[in-house]
Amino acid sequence: MGVHSAKFPNEAVAESLVEAVARHGITHPVVNDGDFAIWQRYAVRAWPTLVLVDPQGYVVGAVAGEGHGPALREAIQALIAEHRQAGTLRVDGRPFALRNPAPPADGFLAYPGKVLADVASRRLFVANSGHHRIVVADPAAQVRAVAGIGEPGFADGSFATARFRHPQGMALVGEHLYVADTENHAIRRLDLRARTVETVGGTGEQAAGRPRPGTGRAVALNSPWDLVSRNGTLYIAMAGCHQVWAMDLTTGTLTPFAGSGREELRDGPRLEAGLNQPSGLATDGQALFVADSEASAIRVITLGDVGRVTTLVGAGLFEFGDQDGTGAAVRLQHPLGIALLGEACYIADTYNHKIKRLYPALRRVETVLGTGKPGRGEGAEPTFFEPGGLSAAAGRLYIADTNNHRICVADLGAGTVAVLPVGESG
C-alpha cells in the first residue's frame, strides 16, 4: 500500500494525486495522508520510507531511501513462509474498495512531459510520456513519425519496434534526437533519417547509489530527466542523483558535471554545489539554466573549465509557494521546465499551474500565463494542469501541458494560448 504524505500543497490535492497515480501507472492502493497522520503514527522522517508490517499487524522493519528492493523481497518471503507455517497468513482477504484513477486520455497524447521545437528543421518533438513514445510533427502539428510501440519496455530497433519507459527531455543534434528515457535510466538516440533507435548511455537499470563515470551502455544512470546539447557535449539533468552530467558525443564518455550528489541548495564550485532533483535544462551558450525542482529554485551553472553554481531564485528544500517579485522574495512550487527567449528565462512553475518569466540579471519573476489553479482554458484566459515542459522558438513558447494531455503554443506578445492538434488529423 502506498501512503502519500505530500511535501508540496499541490500534491495533497486529491485531484492531483489521482492524476499522479494514473500518470505513473500505479495499480496498488494509495491513501492520501494529507494531514500527515499516518506519517506521524509510524515515526517517518524521510521520503521514501518503507515499513514492513506482518499479517498480525506488527511492524517488523523499516528503512528509508532507495535501493532496498532485494533485502525487502528476502524479508517478505521469509515472513510469508513463517506465517504460512503458523497459520496466521490469510489468503482469502477481501479486496480494497479502490477509487480507480482516471486512465490516460483516449486521444493521441497522454501525459506529455517535454516538448522541443526546432526552427531550422521546422519540426516539433513531443515526449508522449504516458504512451511511452516520441512524436515528430511539423509546424502545423501534423504527425510525421512516431518512435515506440506505445507499451513500456526497453528495446532498440526501428521506430515501429522500439520501446521506451516514460521518456522526458530531448535534444536535437543534426539528424539525431537524443532522448532522456527516464524510467529506463538511459539515453536513447533516434536516427531521424533511418528511423531507428539506439541506446547510447545507461544499462537500463537504475544506478545503486551515486552513478559512477564511464562510457556509454556500461554506465548505470539515475532518472535522467532533461537534455540540452552544446559543442559536442550533451548535458543531462540527472534528477535521481541530484546532479547534472555531461556526455561527450564523440567518445560516449559520461561524467558528473555539476552537483555533489547531496540534496541541498548550496552554491559554489560546480562539483561542490548541491542540487535538488534537477528536471529542466536550457542554455544560452555561456551557462546552463536549471529548473531545480525539489528546492523550487532556478539555478545557473557557468560553462568552461572553471564553473560555479549560483541560485537565481529559491531559498531551500522547504521554501516554496506562489510569489512573484525579486530575489529572495520569489517563491515557486516544484518547477519542471525551463526555456530561454530573448533576455528572459521562462519557467513551467508546475505545481502552481503557471508559466512565469524570470529576468536573470535582475532576478525578477512575474506570472505570464495561468491563474494558479488547474484548468483547460485557452485563448486570452489560459489555464494549465501541471505543465512540465517548455521550448522557445521563433518568438513563441511551446508548452507540454502534462495533465491536460496537450501541447499548447503561446503568443507572448498577444498573451494568448492555442492548443496544437497533434495527432488529431493528417
Side-chain angles (χ1 to χ4, degrees), residues 10 34 48 54 58 76 88 159 179 325 387:
N10 180 70
D54 76 8
Y58 293 101
I76 290 168
T88 52
F159 278 13
V179 176

Side-chain angles (χ1 to χ4, degrees), residues 25-46:
I26 294 170
T27 56
H28 59 256
V30 177
V31 59
N32 190 1
D33 185 31
D35 57 3
F36 278 64
I38 300 173
W39 173 287
Q40 292 169 0
R41 291 285 294 272
Y42 282 84
V44 175
R45 293 291 179 267

Side-chain angles (χ1 to χ4, degrees), residues 154 156 163-164 177-190 197-207 211-224 227 234 236 238 245-249 251-255:
F154 186 45
D156 291 343
R163 288 175 179 254
F164 302 84
L177 182 72
Y178 291 85
V179 176
D181 193 5
T182 302
E183 293 192 13
N184 277 324
H185 311 285
I187 306 300
R188 318 292 292 279
R189 182 172 64 196
L190 279 60
V197 177
E198 177 187 8
T199 301
V200 294
T203 64
E205 299 291 335
Q206 185 176 20
R212 297 180 179 180
T215 301
R217 298 193 64 166
V219 185
L221 306 179
N222 196 336
S223 299
L227 307 174
L234 186 71
I236 306 164
M238 204 79 75
W245 278 50
M247 181 178 187
D248 186 312
L249 293 180
T251 65
T253 302
L254 285 146
T255 55

Side-chain angles (χ1 to χ4, degrees), residues 356-380:
K356 294 185 178 180
R357 179 164 51 215
L358 163 66
Y359 295 97
L362 303 173
R363 297 175 62 209
R364 188 175 81 238
V365 172
E366 59 192 20
T367 297
V368 179
L369 302 166
T371 65
K373 296 187 179 299
R376 289 181 59 87
E378 53 187 291

